[in-house]
Every structure is written in structure tokens, then in C-alpha cells.
Amino acid sequence: MSRPASEFALIDRHFRRPSRHADVRIGIGDDAAIIATAPGLDLALSVDMLVEGRHFLAGADAHDVGHKTLAVNLSDLAAMGARPRFALLAGALPDADEHWLARFMDGFRALAGRHEVELVGGDTTRGPRNLCVTVVGDLPAGTAITRAGARPGDDVYVSGSLGGAALALHALRGAIHLAPDALAAVRVRLDRPEPRVALGLGLRGVASAALDLSDGLTGDLGHLLAASRCGARIEIARIPADAALPLHGASRALALQCLLAGGDDYELCFTAPVHARPHVDVAARDAGVGCTRIGSITAAAELVVVDESGSPLAEMPLAFDHFR
């Protein structure tokens, strides 16, 4: 019996095709599609679907769901260095619960207002709760940050901290116990991720490659390395771990899973030449978010993660895959 195809193998096999239109600068395979629509201007388009029980817990606060539904899409535009402009929202709802929908839209509109995003259309139907947003952004022609620009010697960075969202999910499922204040802090990371839009804008012309971390550092960075045809050496000791992660105790294996492959962080992972370090610092300061160098790009086409003693991990945690 053949093994089920991975999510990304299915995309490559059935959806990715050479573009037939010259104005498609970047098609399937990056965080957003880039379309040349007018002289000097490109559009960035991205779509994401959130399914109850898969992307958010059944019974989750509707305000948080509204925030996250838009946030994960804005994170894709941030990774490309695009400024968000418009959104389309489609949803399947199990019933006409106007209280739930009002709370949902309060969360959605609050985040949309902060980023000056206008909801311009969509669709509603009845079914298991399923929410799908298409976002449109713009950027100067030819300035999109893609996954394919990393070069040997470049620094590898991540924004913010990693692992908190995955830790919250493990705690909610009973795999680990967290004190109430610690659980509340990491649950914010799970339920209300913060899209790094300002940082993405600041990294245009600075970062050589970028993507957002939705499925876990090792898996998502692997996509960047594949697109750039290179490898990387990452140091666990440098990765900005969430303060609640128990990296030095009996739960270390679970903590490493959260840190390296947990997903739902929606931070930016990007590369930049060594000479660009001062410019990265400025972009991070202006955006109000920390950016940490966690390793470097190598010519050898493999991802190596070393522990605190400098030894490569014997077994790499597997990043999230919808069809594994």
C-alpha cells in the first residue's frame, strides 16, 4: 500500500503549473502570489482556510477566531513585504448564531482596522464551521521578498519568540501542565497571533528571502532552503524560545517539538547578508519586534540543527503536515 502524499506533494502534483500570463511574477509555491497590474505596482494575493477542530478549538472564543482568521492571512503578506489593502471573507456556519457572528466580526474588524484593511466581499453558507479569507496587498514592482533569494553566508533570523502557541495546544489537550498564568500567556500566542506586517515592510530591500512560520521552524525553513537551493545550520541555543517552554527538564522532548516544529507561531523567518545586520536592527526597532540571528545559510543542501553543546540533533522533530 502506498503512503499518503504530503500536503506539499499534493500541491506540487495537482496545482503547481507554469504560468500562462506574463503578469504573474510569482505563482503557486510562495506565501502569496505576486501579480503585475500597473507600471510600478505589484499586487500580492493570498488565501487561507481555518477549520474548526483543526485550526482552532471547538468552542473557542469567537472574537479570537475572528482575529486569527485575518491574522494568518496578513502574516503571509508580511512575509512578502506587502502592505495589506483588501480582504474577502467566505464562511460555512453550522447555524445562524448572530451573537457568535457579531463577536467574530468584532475580532476580525479590530485587526482589520489596525492595518487599514477593508472587507470588500465574500460568501456565506451552512455547514461545519469553516472560514476562508483572501487578502490583497500591494508593493512597489519587483520588491517582493520571496523564498528563493537566500545565499550561502547569509544570516538566518526569526522574529519574536517561538513555541508558545504549540505549548498552549499541548497544555489544553492535557499533555503537559502549566500554571494558570503561564497557560494564559501562551494561549494568547495560539488564539491571537500578531502578524508582523510592519517588520515585513521594513525588510523590503534588506532580507534576501523570507516566509512566515505557520507549520513549524524546521518545516517552513525547509521550504525556503528548497526554493533557494541551499542549506542552513541552526543553533537551538540561539532560537528565542517562549519563556514557558521547559527546555531543561523531563519535558525537553515536548519542548523541542514545540520550538522546532510546533507551528502556529506566525512569526517571520528570514535571511539577510551579514553586511545588512544594521539594517535588520533598524527594521526590527521601527516595527517594535525583536529579531534574533539563529544560524546561517550553507552551500550544502541540508538543514542541520545543533543542540546547546554543538552536536547535531540525532532526530529532527517533524513539522505539521495536514495529510501526514
Side-chain angles (χ1 to χ4, degrees):
M1 181 181 296
S2 62
R3 296 178 60 187
S6 74
E7 173 187 357
F8 306 102
L10 289 174
I11 292 170
D12 284 340
R13 188 174 305 149
H14 296 289
F15 301 111
R16 193 195 301 263
R17 296 290 185 274
S19 175
R20 295 177 296 170
H21 301 280
D23 51 1
V24 178
R25 294 185 186 274
I26 300 170
I28 294 172
D30 221 303
D31 285 275
I34 301 295
I35 312 296
T37 58
L41 182 71
D42 287 345
L43 289 186
L45 301 96
S46 182
V47 60
D48 262 309
M49 185 184 305
L50 272 71
V51 178
E52 187 174 58
R54 172 63 66 173
H55 300 95
F56 59 93
L57 298 173
D61 182 83
H63 189 281
D64 290 345
V65 176
H67 172 103
K68 188 170 185 177
T69 298
L70 180 59
V72 301
N73 287 271
L74 297 186
S75 184
D76 283 332
L77 295 190
M80 306 294 291
R83 185 180 303 279
R85 298 293 307 279
F86 307 105
L88 298 164
L89 170 64
L93 304 173
D95 49 51
D97 184 341
E98 292 201 36
H99 175 73
W100 188 95
L101 192 55
R103 288 277 298 160
F104 172 88
M105 286 309 301
D106 283 345
F108 188 100
R109 288 196 177 101
L111 184 61
R114 283 170 47 202
H115 293 283
E116 300 182 338
V117 173
E118 183 176 353
L119 180 63
V120 294
D123 186 35
T124 308
T125 188
R126 185 168 188 165
R129 188 167 279 121
N130 181 343
L131 304 153
C132 185
V133 170
T134 299
V135 287
V136 181
D138 60 28
L139 66 168
T143 65
I145 311 169
T146 74
R147 301 178 180 185
R151 297 293 180 264
D154 283 0
D155 292 320
V156 180
Y157 293 83
V158 293
S159 65
S161 63
L162 305 186
L167 183 64
L169 188 58
H170 282 294
L172 292 169
R173 290 175 171 171
I176 188 172
H177 172 74
L178 295 178
D181 57 342
L183 176 58
V186 293
R187 184 146 191 189
V188 170
R189 298 301 311 275
L190 176 66
D191 293 338
R192 296 190 294 279
E194 188 62 35
R196 304 303 189 184
V197 174
L199 178 61
L201 295 175
L203 290 174
R204 279 197 317 232
V206 176
S208 52
L211 80 177
D212 78 326
L213 297 176
S214 56
D215 295 331
L217 174 62
T218 56
D220 288 326
L221 178 56
H223 301 318
L224 186 153
L225 299 179
S228 295
R229 301 178 183 273
C230 55
R233 184 180 185 274
I234 302 301
E235 300 177 41
I236 288 176
R238 288 177 173 263
I239 301 174
D242 190 279
L245 279 179
L247 285 169
H248 303 290
S251 298
R252 177 176 167 82
L254 184 144
L256 284 178
Q257 173 68 32
C258 294
L259 181 67
L260 297 175
D264 261 343
D265 290 308
Y266 297 102
E267 296 291 351
L268 297 188
C269 177
F270 61 96
T271 62
V274 172
H275 65 73
R277 288 178 182 178
H279 303 291
V280 172
D281 291 342
V282 169
R285 184 190 66 227
D286 290 349
V289 57
C291 290
T292 306
R293 291 198 312 273
I294 63 170
S296 58
I297 296 296
T298 62
E302 62 177 337
L303 173 59
V304 176
V305 179
V306 300
D307 64 18
E308 293 85 346
S309 68
S311 301
L313 290 186
E315 187 174 352
M316 191 85 74
L318 293 175
F320 182 77
D321 186 323
H322 283 284
F323 296 101
R324 181 176 294 118

